[in-house]
Amino acid sequence: MDTKVLYVTAIAIAAVSGGYYYYSGKSNKLQADSARSMNYSASNINLTQTDEHGKLYIRAKVDRLEQDLQQKTSQLNNLNASVYKDGRLDATFFAKVANGYNDNEKVVLRHDVQATKIMETGQMVFRTDELTALPKTREIETDKQVTVESPQAEFVSNGLKANLNNGQYEFFNIRGKYEPKS
């Protein structure tokens, strides 16, 4: 047999084999890409989470969750969450809609938002239309109007920045009344 025929046959076999492996691998990649871009949804969710010491950290109830794994976003309807610190109730959050970004590193609560901070002297309740929460750092903020009710004061602020860890609150353009305990 002529060597030229052997080379052509070898090249033809290599081309067919290479094409097969190339296209079979590419089709698997396309399947993986389409699986990664899937959206998930669930209804009537009850969540209980503990911290690294086994103490209760968060309890949440959500009517509906939609999650996009590729964009790392989520949307929750009728979020009702309770956050615990050292196993004791520390704060509660309610919102008709909550959008989570970057695997819920940032959560934006919207529509009839109510956040309640539990204190030794009572509760401090924040009501607003939109509130951004950073769960890892336990900070909340908004540039929207906030109604604040506490045992010592009732007022309206045109914005809020708060650190729930150390109890520092920053309010902007406050109008209301303050009654210190005698």
Side-chain angles (χ1 to χ4, degrees), residues 122-134:
Q123 299 179 350
M124 183 178 292
V125 181
F126 306 98
R127 289 185 176 85
T128 186
D129 287 328
E130 184 176 299
L131 185 69
T132 300
L134 304 170

Side-chain angles (χ1 to χ4, degrees), residues 57 102-107 133-139 165:
Y57 175 67
N102 199 21
D103 282 337
N104 294 326
E105 284 185 14
K106 174 182 168 182
V107 180
L134 304 170
K136 287 187 180 182
T137 60
R138 297 176 44 90
E139 295 175 345
N165 289 318

Side-chain angles (χ1 to χ4, degrees), residues 120-122 151-152 178-182:
E120 291 177 13
T121 59
Q152 296 177 337
Y178 177 71
E179 298 174 10
K181 289 189 175 184
S182 321

